[in-house]
CSV table of all heavy atoms in Angstrom, one decimal:
chain,number,residue,atom,x,y,z
G,1,SER,N,75.0,-38.2,-92.8
G,1,SER,CA,74.4,-39.4,-93.5
G,1,SER,C,75.2,-40.7,-93.3
G,1,SER,O,75.3,-41.5,-94.2
G,1,SER,CB,74.3,-39.0,-95.0
G,1,SER,OG,73.4,-38.0,-95.2
G,2,ASN,N,75.6,-40.9,-92.1
G,2,ASN,CA,76.3,-42.1,-91.7
G,2,ASN,C,75.4,-43.1,-91.0
G,2,ASN,O,74.4,-42.6,-90.4
G,2,ASN,CB,77.6,-41.9,-90.9
G,2,ASN,CG,78.6,-41.1,-91.6
G,2,ASN,OD1,79.2,-41.6,-92.5
G,2,ASN,ND2,78.8,-39.8,-91.3
G,3,GLY,N,75.7,-44.4,-91.0
G,3,GLY,CA,74.7,-45.4,-90.5
G,3,GLY,C,74.7,-45.5,-89.0
G,3,GLY,O,73.8,-46.1,-88.4
G,4,VAL,N,75.8,-45.0,-88.3
G,4,VAL,CA,75.8,-45.1,-86.8
G,4,VAL,C,75.9,-43.7,-86.3
G,4,VAL,O,74.9,-43.0,-86.3
G,4,VAL,CB,76.9,-46.0,-86.4
G,4,VAL,CG1,76.9,-46.2,-84.8
G,4,VAL,CG2,76.9,-47.4,-87.0
G,5,ASN,N,77.0,-43.3,-85.8
G,5,ASN,CA,77.1,-41.9,-85.3
G,5,ASN,C,77.9,-41.0,-86.2
G,5,ASN,O,78.6,-41.4,-87.1
G,5,ASN,CB,77.9,-42.0,-84.0
G,5,ASN,CG,77.2,-42.9,-82.9
G,5,ASN,OD1,76.1,-42.7,-82.6
G,5,ASN,ND2,78.0,-43.9,-82.4
G,6,GLY,N,77.7,-39.7,-85.9
G,6,GLY,CA,78.5,-38.7,-86.7
G,6,GLY,C,80.0,-38.8,-86.2
G,6,GLY,O,80.9,-39.2,-87.0
G,7,ILE,N,80.2,-38.3,-85.0
G,7,ILE,CA,81.5,-38.3,-84.4
G,7,ILE,C,81.4,-39.1,-83.1
G,7,ILE,O,80.5,-38.8,-82.2
G,7,ILE,CB,82.0,-36.9,-84.1
G,7,ILE,CG1,82.1,-36.1,-85.4
G,7,ILE,CG2,83.3,-36.9,-83.3
G,7,ILE,CD1,82.4,-34.6,-85.1
G,8,TYR,N,82.2,-40.1,-83.0
G,8,TYR,CA,82.1,-41.1,-81.8
G,8,TYR,C,83.5,-41.0,-81.2
G,8,TYR,O,84.5,-41.5,-81.8
G,8,TYR,CB,81.8,-42.5,-82.2
G,8,TYR,CG,81.7,-43.5,-81.1
G,8,TYR,CD1,81.3,-43.1,-79.8
G,8,TYR,CD2,82.0,-44.8,-81.4
G,8,TYR,CE1,81.3,-44.1,-78.8
G,8,TYR,CE2,81.9,-45.8,-80.4
G,8,TYR,CZ,81.6,-45.4,-79.2
G,8,TYR,OH,81.5,-46.4,-78.1
G,9,LEU,N,83.7,-40.5,-79.9
G,9,LEU,CA,84.9,-40.5,-79.2
G,9,LEU,C,84.8,-41.3,-77.9
G,9,LEU,O,83.9,-41.0,-77.1
G,9,LEU,CB,85.3,-39.0,-78.9
G,9,LEU,CG,85.2,-38.1,-80.1
G,9,LEU,CD1,85.4,-36.6,-79.6
G,9,LEU,CD2,86.3,-38.4,-81.1
G,10,HIS,N,85.6,-42.3,-77.7
G,10,HIS,CA,85.4,-43.2,-76.6
G,10,HIS,C,86.8,-43.7,-76.1
G,10,HIS,O,87.8,-43.4,-76.6
G,10,HIS,CB,84.5,-44.3,-77.1
G,10,HIS,CG,84.9,-45.1,-78.3
G,10,HIS,ND1,85.5,-46.4,-78.3
G,10,HIS,CD2,84.9,-44.7,-79.6
G,10,HIS,CE1,85.7,-46.8,-79.5
G,10,HIS,NE2,85.5,-45.7,-80.3
G,11,GLY,N,86.7,-44.6,-75.1
G,11,GLY,CA,88.0,-45.1,-74.5
G,11,GLY,C,88.8,-44.1,-73.7
G,11,GLY,O,90.0,-44.0,-73.8
G,12,ASN,N,88.0,-43.2,-73.0
G,12,ASN,CA,88.7,-42.1,-72.2
G,12,ASN,C,89.4,-41.1,-73.1
G,12,ASN,O,90.6,-40.8,-72.9
G,12,ASN,CB,89.6,-42.7,-71.2
G,12,ASN,CG,90.0,-41.7,-70.2
G,12,ASN,OD1,91.1,-41.8,-69.6
G,12,ASN,ND2,89.1,-40.7,-69.8
G,13,PRO,N,88.8,-40.5,-74.0
G,13,PRO,CA,89.4,-39.4,-74.8
G,13,PRO,C,89.7,-38.2,-73.7
G,13,PRO,O,88.9,-37.9,-72.9
G,13,PRO,CB,88.3,-38.9,-75.8
G,13,PRO,CG,87.0,-39.4,-75.2
G,13,PRO,CD,87.3,-40.6,-74.4
G,14,THR,N,90.9,-37.6,-73.9
G,14,THR,CA,91.4,-36.7,-72.9
G,14,THR,C,92.0,-35.4,-73.6
G,14,THR,O,92.8,-35.6,-74.5
G,14,THR,CB,92.4,-37.3,-71.9
G,14,THR,OG1,91.8,-38.5,-71.4
G,14,THR,CG2,92.8,-36.4,-70.8
G,15,SER,N,91.7,-34.3,-73.1
G,15,SER,CA,92.3,-33.0,-73.5
G,15,SER,C,92.1,-32.9,-75.1
G,15,SER,O,93.1,-32.7,-75.8
G,15,SER,CB,93.8,-33.0,-73.2
G,15,SER,OG,93.9,-33.0,-71.7
G,16,LEU,N,90.9,-33.0,-75.5
G,16,LEU,CA,90.5,-32.9,-76.9
G,16,LEU,C,89.6,-31.7,-77.1
G,16,LEU,O,88.7,-31.4,-76.3
G,16,LEU,CB,89.9,-34.2,-77.4
G,16,LEU,CG,89.4,-34.4,-78.8
G,16,LEU,CD1,89.7,-35.8,-79.2
G,16,LEU,CD2,88.0,-33.9,-79.1
G,17,THR,N,89.8,-31.0,-78.2
G,17,THR,CA,88.9,-29.9,-78.6
G,17,THR,C,88.2,-30.2,-79.9
G,17,THR,O,88.8,-30.7,-80.8
G,17,THR,CB,89.6,-28.6,-78.7
G,17,THR,OG1,90.6,-28.7,-79.7
G,17,THR,CG2,90.4,-28.3,-77.4
G,18,MET,N,86.9,-29.8,-80.0
G,18,MET,CA,86.2,-29.8,-81.2
G,18,MET,C,85.7,-28.5,-81.5
G,18,MET,O,85.0,-27.8,-80.6
G,18,MET,CB,84.9,-30.7,-81.1
G,18,MET,CG,85.3,-32.2,-81.1
G,18,MET,SD,83.8,-33.3,-80.8
G,18,MET,CE,82.7,-32.6,-82.0
G,19,THR,N,86.0,-27.8,-82.6
G,19,THR,CA,85.6,-26.5,-82.9
G,19,THR,C,84.9,-26.4,-84.3
G,19,THR,O,85.4,-27.0,-85.2
G,19,THR,CB,86.9,-25.6,-83.0
G,19,THR,OG1,87.6,-25.6,-81.7
G,19,THR,CG2,86.5,-24.1,-83.2
G,20,SER,N,83.8,-25.8,-84.3
G,20,SER,CA,82.9,-25.6,-85.6
G,20,SER,C,82.7,-26.9,-86.3
G,20,SER,O,82.9,-26.9,-87.5
G,20,SER,CB,83.7,-24.5,-86.4
G,20,SER,OG,83.8,-23.3,-85.8
G,21,CYS,N,82.4,-27.9,-85.6
G,21,CYS,CA,82.1,-29.2,-86.2
G,21,CYS,C,80.6,-29.4,-86.4
G,21,CYS,O,79.8,-28.7,-85.7
G,21,CYS,CB,82.6,-30.4,-85.3
G,21,CYS,SG,84.4,-30.5,-85.2
G,22,TYR,N,80.2,-30.1,-87.4
G,22,TYR,CA,78.8,-30.1,-87.7
G,22,TYR,C,78.4,-31.7,-88.1
G,22,TYR,O,79.1,-32.3,-88.8
G,22,TYR,CB,78.5,-29.3,-89.0
G,22,TYR,CG,77.1,-29.3,-89.4
G,22,TYR,CD1,76.1,-29.0,-88.6
G,22,TYR,CD2,76.7,-29.7,-90.7
G,22,TYR,CE1,74.7,-29.0,-89.0
G,22,TYR,CE2,75.4,-29.7,-91.2
G,22,TYR,CZ,74.4,-29.3,-90.3
G,22,TYR,OH,73.1,-29.4,-90.7
G,23,THR,N,77.4,-32.1,-87.4
G,23,THR,CA,76.9,-33.5,-87.7
G,23,THR,C,75.4,-33.4,-88.2
G,23,THR,O,74.6,-32.6,-87.6
G,23,THR,CB,77.0,-34.4,-86.5
G,23,THR,OG1,76.3,-33.9,-85.5
G,23,THR,CG2,78.5,-34.5,-86.1
G,24,ASN,N,75.1,-34.2,-89.2
G,24,ASN,CA,73.7,-34.0,-89.8
G,24,ASN,C,73.2,-35.3,-90.3
G,24,ASN,O,74.0,-36.0,-91.0
G,24,ASN,CB,73.8,-32.9,-90.9
G,24,ASN,CG,72.4,-32.7,-91.5
G,24,ASN,OD1,71.5,-32.4,-90.8
G,24,ASN,ND2,72.3,-33.0,-92.8
G,25,SER,N,72.1,-35.7,-90.0
G,25,SER,CA,71.3,-36.8,-90.6
G,25,SER,C,72.1,-38.1,-90.4
G,25,SER,O,72.0,-39.0,-91.3
G,25,SER,CB,71.0,-36.5,-92.1
G,25,SER,OG,70.2,-35.4,-92.2
G,26,ASN,N,72.6,-38.3,-89.3
G,26,ASN,CA,73.2,-39.6,-89.0
G,26,ASN,C,72.3,-40.5,-88.2
G,26,ASN,O,71.3,-39.9,-87.4
G,26,ASN,CB,74.5,-39.5,-88.1
G,26,ASN,CG,75.6,-38.7,-88.8
G,26,ASN,OD1,76.2,-39.2,-89.7
G,26,ASN,ND2,75.7,-37.4,-88.4
G,27,ALA,N,72.3,-41.8,-88.4
G,27,ALA,CA,71.2,-42.7,-87.8
G,27,ALA,C,71.2,-42.7,-86.4
G,27,ALA,O,70.3,-43.0,-85.7
G,27,ALA,CB,71.4,-44.0,-88.5
G,28,GLY,N,72.5,-42.6,-85.8
G,28,GLY,CA,72.6,-42.6,-84.3
G,28,GLY,C,72.7,-41.2,-83.7
G,28,GLY,O,72.0,-40.3,-84.0
G,29,ARG,N,73.8,-41.0,-82.9
G,29,ARG,CA,74.0,-39.7,-82.3
G,29,ARG,C,74.9,-38.9,-83.2
G,29,ARG,O,75.7,-39.3,-84.0
G,29,ARG,CB,74.8,-39.8,-81.0
G,29,ARG,CG,74.2,-40.6,-79.9
G,29,ARG,CD,74.5,-42.1,-80.0
G,29,ARG,NE,74.1,-42.7,-78.7
G,29,ARG,CZ,74.2,-44.1,-78.6
G,29,ARG,NH1,74.4,-44.8,-79.6
G,29,ARG,NH2,73.9,-44.6,-77.4
G,30,GLY,N,74.6,-37.6,-83.2
G,30,GLY,CA,75.4,-36.7,-83.9
G,30,GLY,C,76.9,-36.7,-83.3
G,30,GLY,O,77.8,-36.8,-84.1
G,31,VAL,N,76.9,-36.5,-82.0
G,31,VAL,CA,78.2,-36.5,-81.3
G,31,VAL,C,78.0,-37.4,-80.1
G,31,VAL,O,77.1,-37.2,-79.2
G,31,VAL,CB,78.6,-35.1,-80.8
G,31,VAL,CG1,79.9,-35.2,-80.0
G,31,VAL,CG2,78.8,-34.1,-82.0
G,32,TYR,N,78.8,-38.5,-80.0
G,32,TYR,CA,78.8,-39.3,-78.9
G,32,TYR,C,80.1,-39.4,-78.2
G,32,TYR,O,81.1,-39.8,-78.8
G,32,TYR,CB,78.4,-40.8,-79.5
G,32,TYR,CG,78.1,-41.8,-78.4
G,32,TYR,CD1,77.9,-41.5,-77.0
G,32,TYR,CD2,78.1,-43.2,-78.8
G,32,TYR,CE1,77.6,-42.5,-76.0
G,32,TYR,CE2,77.8,-44.1,-77.8
G,32,TYR,CZ,77.6,-43.8,-76.5
G,32,TYR,OH,77.4,-44.8,-75.6
G,33,ILE,N,80.2,-39.0,-76.9
G,33,ILE,CA,81.4,-39.0,-76.1
G,33,ILE,C,81.2,-39.9,-75.0
G,33,ILE,O,80.3,-39.7,-74.1
G,33,ILE,CB,81.7,-37.6,-75.7
G,33,ILE,CG1,81.9,-36.7,-76.9
G,33,ILE,CG2,83.0,-37.6,-74.8
G,33,ILE,CD1,82.1,-35.2,-76.5
G,34,SER,N,82.1,-40.9,-74.8
G,34,SER,CA,82.0,-41.8,-73.8
G,34,SER,C,83.3,-41.8,-72.9
G,34,SER,O,84.4,-41.9,-73.4
G,34,SER,CB,81.9,-43.3,-74.3
G,34,SER,OG,81.9,-44.2,-73.2
G,35,ASP,N,83.1,-41.5,-71.6
G,35,ASP,CA,84.2,-41.4,-70.6
G,35,ASP,C,85.2,-40.3,-71.0
G,35,ASP,O,86.4,-40.5,-70.8
G,35,ASP,CB,84.9,-42.8,-70.4
G,35,ASP,CG,83.9,-43.8,-69.9
G,35,ASP,OD1,83.2,-43.5,-68.9
G,35,ASP,OD2,83.9,-44.9,-70.4
G,36,GLY,N,84.8,-39.2,-71.5
G,36,GLY,CA,85.7,-38.1,-71.9
G,36,GLY,C,86.2,-37.3,-70.7
G,36,GLY,O,85.4,-37.2,-69.7
G,37,THR,N,87.3,-36.8,-70.8
G,37,THR,CA,87.9,-36.1,-69.6
G,37,THR,C,88.6,-34.8,-70.2
G,37,THR,O,89.4,-34.9,-71.2
G,37,THR,CB,88.9,-36.9,-68.9
G,37,THR,OG1,88.4,-38.1,-68.4
G,37,THR,CG2,89.5,-36.1,-67.7
G,38,TYR,N,88.3,-33.6,-69.6
G,38,TYR,CA,88.9,-32.3,-70.0
G,38,TYR,C,88.7,-32.1,-71.5
G,38,TYR,O,89.7,-32.0,-72.3
G,38,TYR,CB,90.4,-32.3,-69.6
G,38,TYR,CG,90.7,-32.8,-68.3
G,38,TYR,CD1,91.8,-33.6,-68.0
G,38,TYR,CD2,89.9,-32.6,-67.2
G,38,TYR,CE1,92.2,-34.1,-66.8
G,38,TYR,CE2,90.2,-33.1,-65.9
G,38,TYR,CZ,91.3,-33.9,-65.7
G,38,TYR,OH,91.6,-34.4,-64.5
G,39,MET,N,87.5,-31.9,-71.9
G,39,MET,CA,87.3,-31.8,-73.3
G,39,MET,C,86.4,-30.4,-73.5
G,39,MET,O,85.6,-30.1,-72.6
G,39,MET,CB,86.5,-32.9,-73.9
G,39,MET,CG,87.3,-34.3,-73.9
G,39,MET,SD,86.3,-35.7,-74.5
G,39,MET,CE,85.9,-35.1,-76.2
G,40,ALA,N,86.6,-29.8,-74.7
G,40,ALA,CA,85.9,-28.6,-74.9
G,40,ALA,C,85.3,-28.6,-76.4
G,40,ALA,O,86.0,-28.8,-77.3
G,40,ALA,CB,86.8,-27.3,-74.8
G,41,LEU,N,84.0,-28.4,-76.4
G,41,LEU,CA,83.3,-28.3,-77.8
G,41,LEU,C,82.8,-26.9,-77.9
G,41,LEU,O,82.1,-26.4,-77.0
G,41,LEU,CB,82.1,-29.3,-77.8
G,41,LEU,CG,82.3,-30.8,-78.0
G,41,LEU,CD1,83.1,-31.4,-76.9
G,41,LEU,CD2,81.0,-31.5,-78.3
G,42,SER,N,83.2,-26.2,-79.0
G,42,SER,CA,82.8,-24.9,-79.2
G,42,SER,C,82.2,-24.6,-80.5
G,42,SER,O,82.8,-25.1,-81.6
G,42,SER,CB,84.1,-24.0,-79.1
G,42,SER,OG,83.8,-22.6,-79.3
G,43,ALA,N,81.1,-23.9,-80.6
G,43,ALA,CA,80.4,-23.6,-81.8
G,43,ALA,C,80.2,-24.7,-82.7
G,43,ALA,O,80.3,-24.7,-83.9
G,43,ALA,CB,81.2,-22.5,-82.6
G,44,CYS,N,79.7,-25.8,-82.1
G,44,CYS,CA,79.4,-27.1,-82.8
G,44,CYS,C,77.9,-27.2,-83.0
G,44,CYS,O,77.1,-26.7,-82.2
G,44,CYS,CB,79.9,-28.3,-82.2
G,44,CYS,SG,81.7,-28.4,-82.1
G,45,ALA,N,77.4,-27.8,-84.1
G,45,ALA,CA,76.0,-28.0,-84.4
G,45,ALA,C,75.8,-29.5,-84.7
G,45,ALA,O,76.6,-30.1,-85.3
G,45,ALA,CB,75.5,-27.1,-85.6
G,46,SER,N,74.6,-30.0,-84.2
G,46,SER,CA,74.2,-31.3,-84.5
G,46,SER,C,72.7,-31.4,-84.8
G,46,SER,O,71.9,-31.2,-84.0
G,46,SER,CB,74.5,-32.1,-83.2
G,46,SER,OG,74.1,-33.5,-83.4
G,47,ASP,N,72.4,-31.5,-86.1
G,47,ASP,CA,71.0,-31.4,-86.6
G,47,ASP,C,70.5,-32.7,-87.3
G,47,ASP,O,71.3,-33.4,-88.0
G,47,ASP,CB,71.0,-30.2,-87.6
G,47,ASP,CG,71.3,-28.9,-87.1
G,47,ASP,OD1,71.3,-28.7,-85.8
G,47,ASP,OD2,71.7,-28.0,-87.9
G,48,SER,N,69.3,-33.0,-87.0
G,48,SER,CA,68.6,-34.1,-87.7
G,48,SER,C,69.2,-35.4,-87.5
G,48,SER,O,69.1,-36.3,-88.4
G,48,SER,CB,68.5,-33.7,-89.3
G,48,SER,OG,67.8,-32.5,-89.4
C-alpha cells in the first residue's frame, strides 16, 4: 500500500539477495530493479 513501488533497487545494486519478500497493492511496481548485477530473488511474491 505504498504510493510508488514496493521495493526499488537502483544505481547498480550488486550481489544482493531477496528471500521470502512480499509486495502487495503498491501503486507502481511490486519489485523494481534497475541495472542490477549478480542478484538472486528466492520465494518472493508480488501481488495486486
Side-chain angles (χ1 to χ4, degrees):
S1 302
N2 295 291
V4 185
N5 303 303
I7 297 173
Y8 180 30
L9 308 173
H10 54 109
N12 193 213
T14 303
S15 300
L16 182 146
T17 62
M18 287 176 51
T19 305
S20 301
C21 293
Y22 180 57
T23 60
N24 180 62
S25 299
N26 298 286
R29 296 91 162 168
V31 177
Y32 185 17
I33 299 172
S34 177
D35 296 319
T37 305
Y38 318 140
M39 297 177 61
L41 282 68
S42 176
C44 295
S46 180
D47 298 338
S48 302

